[in-house]
Amino acid sequence: MIDFFTAHAPVLAIVVFIFGALTAPVLGKINNSLSYYCALITTAVSFILSVYLLVSVYNNGPLEYFLGGWKPPYGIEYRADILNSFILSVVSFVSLLSIIYGYGSIKAEIHDKRRPAFYSVYLLFIGGMMGILITNDIFNMYVFLEITSLAGYALIAMGRTRYSYMASFNYLILGSIGATFFLIGIGYLYMQTGTLNLTDLAQRLQGHFDTNVVLVAIAFIIVGLMLKMAVFPLHFWLPDAYTYSPSVISAAMAGTSTKVAAYLLIRLMYTIFGIQAGFSGINFSGIIIGISSITILAGSIIAISQTDLKRMLAFSSIGQIGYILIGTAMVNKYAFAGGLLHILNHAMMKTALFMVAGGFFYKLTSTKINNLKGMGRQMPFTSTMFLILSLSMVGIPLTVGFISKWYIVLGAAQSGNWIVVPVILLSSLLTAVYFGRVINTLFFKEPESSGAENLPIKMPYSMIGSTAVLVFLCIFFGVFAYLPAEISLKAAENIIGAMPWK
């Protein structure tokens, strides 16, 4: 039984979401609560499967699954290794805590009749990302990317303001452009090699990196995925999407969607192309480091001027995605591990911060920073969690934010990319500025006489508890960082050592 479970675990991680997405609206016809518990059980099972996969591949090596028994390049292959199993665990964990958090917030922000459909689309959204991570077929990656994107557009539009529709439409247009670029790049690669399997692609592309077809394919893929990641200056869809979507979706998206797009770029650049290959005189490593540095600083600078908390966190997320890219682009074990750690660390920090923002919205029906005056006294526990998360975002020692930045700086020193060090230091200073402004408003300013701060509205325990778990982990993994660091370092060794140009 255990052997059967292990052998089919990669496909079960996807099937469970398909089953849940189909079941949730049916159960919702009976009772709305049943659709919620369907989503809860589905995400919980997914998390268990993801952790099981991570432990299995860590101890025994990569696990392959051939759909229908058809081996590649003729069939679709699902492949689990340390890199994607680690991110699978992150995505499934964030999705589980988000749905627990949503037990309270969804009731306040989503109309009763729309909740069963919401849970169904939410499961499709998470299931699509899980598919992107587990598949070893590049066209299958595109299919799952479209599933995730279409579900994301619908989830954003479920916000209760008219701006939600605008944000969803903007994401639809720009997301479709990014997906089209990605698909065009896949088409060029298939035209050159006649295969879609990543392992087979890496072998057949050897000796063809200088051809115009491959260079154009790489350009389309990089631009398309960077648009999906909201890398500056291709970030225009993200601020509105995070600001005007329901609180639970802001939290879930901030911790998952851009991280999965980053995984896609990392996987393709290392597995197929070889990020340091330098074919046709193009240094992709240097280009990505430069773009990432600009993204880090631009996101941080723009965040300072924001007047809405969720919008500030959205621009902060744009800057933080640069950390992931800059770490993985330096082709250094410690820097790569730092970038991979930041996927976990930023997922925890930013998901929790959006959960806190949702808590403020639950009480005030607003996330304007100016309306948060005195909330440190009215909501002391929630405000204290925001303070701890802010310190972690800055990179204070004994928090997870410090760990990933430390590894990236260490890798930059070893690889000679010294320009990265002042970029990270300056970004940390800017982060302290825009979070410090909110902390000052929460704890040191008197509330205005609107009376909203005195409303007898308390956050549900589901919202407080799920947020508190993430805050605790931000400290726990900041003190006991050896477990995620060991996994990240092993993933870095496996990925860098297996590059096609080695």
Side-chain angles (χ1 to χ4, degrees):
M1 181 65 180
I2 295 178
D3 291 339
F4 176 85
F5 183 77
T6 302
H8 292 81
V11 73
L12 288 175
I14 309 302
V15 170
V16 66
F17 282 101
I18 298 174
F19 179 78
L22 294 174
T23 306
V26 176
L27 294 176
K29 294 291 184 180
I30 304 172
N31 190 302
N32 275 349
S33 297
L34 292 178
S35 59
Y36 168 78
Y37 289 114
C38 176
L40 177 64
I41 293 170
T42 300
T43 50
V45 171
S46 169
F47 177 60
I48 294 170
L49 283 169
S50 300
V51 173
Y52 181 83
L53 271 174
L54 178 59
V55 173
S56 179
V57 299
Y58 186 85
N59 294 325
N60 305 314
L63 181 63
E64 298 172 340
Y65 183 89
F66 308 128
L67 291 183
W70 290 86
K71 293 186 177 182
Y74 306 106
I76 296 174
E77 176 191 15
Y78 285 178
R79 188 176 190 273
D81 58 15
I82 296 179
L83 176 62
N84 61 1
S85 296
F86 179 73
I87 304 176
L88 277 170
S89 300
V90 174
V91 170
S92 58
F93 179 64
V94 169
S95 66
L96 173 59
L97 282 184
S98 295
I99 205 67
I100 294 172
Y101 174 89
Y103 183 79
S105 70
I106 289 172
K107 290 182 178 180
E109 299 183 47
I110 305 293
H111 194 276
D112 290 357
K113 294 181 180 180
R114 303 174 76 177
R115 287 177 201 164
F118 172 87
Y119 293 124
S120 179
V121 176
Y122 178 80
L123 293 177
L124 286 175
F125 174 70
I126 303 299
M129 289 188 288
M130 300 290 277
I132 293 170
L133 294 168
I134 202 70
T135 186
N136 200 43
D137 183 284
I138 193 169
F139 184 76
N140 208 224
M141 286 178 168
Y142 165 76
V143 172
F144 282 118
L145 182 66
E146 282 294 87
I147 292 172
T148 297
S149 299
L150 291 170
Y153 308 149
L155 291 171
I156 293 169
M158 287 189 182
R160 286 199 166 185
T161 69
R162 61 189 178 91
Y163 297 109
S164 301
Y165 299 106
M166 176 196 70
S168 177
F169 184 73
N170 288 342
Y171 186 20
L172 169 66
I173 298 300
L174 294 174
S176 298
I177 293 173
T180 301
F181 274 40
F182 184 52
L183 181 61
I184 292 172
I186 293 172
Y188 278 122
L189 289 180
Y190 184 77
M191 184 171 65
Q192 180 69 39
T193 63
T195 185
L196 297 168
N197 181 268
L198 295 186
T199 306
D200 204 37
L201 268 171
Q203 295 173 353
R204 297 193 188 189
L205 280 174
Q206 297 303 307
H208 297 283
F209 288 120
D210 287 326
T211 62
N212 290 333
V213 173
V214 175
L215 290 175
V216 171
I218 293 172
F220 271 112
I221 287 173
I222 290 177
V223 173
L225 291 179
M226 284 191 170
L227 202 157
K228 285 288 187 180
M229 294 163 60
V231 171
F232 185 87
L234 306 175
H235 66 284
F236 299 105
W237 64 267
L238 187 142
D240 286 343
Y242 284 12
T243 303
Y244 300 117
S245 58
S247 299
V248 63
I249 298 306
S250 298
M253 279 190 168
T256 58
S257 58
T258 53
K259 315 298 184 298
V260 173
Y263 161 82
L264 254 180
L265 183 59
I266 293 165
R267 174 66 78 184
L268 296 180
M269 290 306 297
Y270 276 91
T271 302
I272 299 179
F273 305 131
I275 192 170
Q276 213 180 39
F279 35 85
S280 293
I282 301 173
N283 181 4
F284 282 103
S285 177
I287 291 174
I288 294 177
I289 289 173
I291 294 173
S292 302
S293 299
I294 295 172
T295 299
I296 290 171
L297 296 177
S300 301
I301 292 170
I302 299 174
I304 294 175
S305 63
Q306 302 307 307
T307 58
D308 185 277
L309 179 60
K310 290 180 71 174
R311 197 169 186 84
M312 185 197 82
L313 295 176
F315 278 105
S316 171
S317 294
I318 293 170
Q320 295 296 312
I321 198 68
Y323 281 99
I324 298 170
L325 280 183
I326 207 168
T328 55
M330 283 187 276
V331 199
N332 174 273
K333 181 179 74 172
Y334 292 102
F336 189 99
L340 188 55
L341 275 172
H342 206 64
I343 291 178
L344 168 65
N345 297 342
H346 183 253
M348 292 191 298
M349 293 185 293
K350 197 53 63 71
T351 298
L353 282 165
F354 273 104
M355 287 179 174
V356 169
F360 291 137
F361 182 84
Y362 190 87
K363 182 175 177 66
L364 301 172
T365 66
S366 171
T367 54
K368 293 292 184 182
I369 295 175
N370 195 49
N371 293 339
L372 301 179
K373 293 177 180 178
M375 283 296 104
R377 290 185 291 276
Q378 297 295 326
M379 302 177 71
F381 187 67
T382 303
S383 299
T384 301
M385 289 194 292
F386 184 89
L387 173 61
I388 294 170
L389 293 166
S390 300
L391 296 175
S392 186
M393 286 291 297
V394 173
I396 300 300
L398 303 182
T399 64
V400 292
F402 172 79
I403 301 300
S404 47
K405 290 181 180 181
W406 172 259
Y407 272 95
I408 293 172
V409 169
L410 183 61
Q414 285 193 350
S415 61
N417 292 291
W418 291 102
I419 188 64
V420 172
V421 178
V423 168
I424 291 178
L425 292 175
L426 179 57
S427 172
S428 297
L429 179 61
L430 294 171
T431 303
V433 171
Y434 61 77
F435 274 108
R437 183 165 59 99
V438 180
I439 292 169
N440 180 58
T441 302
L442 286 171
F443 292 99
F444 302 107
K445 288 190 177 181
E446 293 296 327
E448 296 178 351
S449 57
S450 63
E453 69 279 359
N454 296 317
L455 291 175
I457 300 175
K458 294 183 179 179
M459 286 176 63
Y461 290 121
S462 61
M463 296 175 68
I464 296 174
S466 52
T467 310
V469 168
L470 289 171
V471 173
F472 169 76
L473 291 176
C474 285
I475 299 173
F476 181 82
F477 285 130
V479 178
F480 304 100
Y482 57 88
L483 179 59
E486 184 179 343
I487 296 172
S488 299
L489 285 168
K490 189 169 183 178
E493 291 173 353
N494 291 347
I495 293 295
I496 294 176
M499 285 189 291
W501 52 268
K502 282 285 186 181

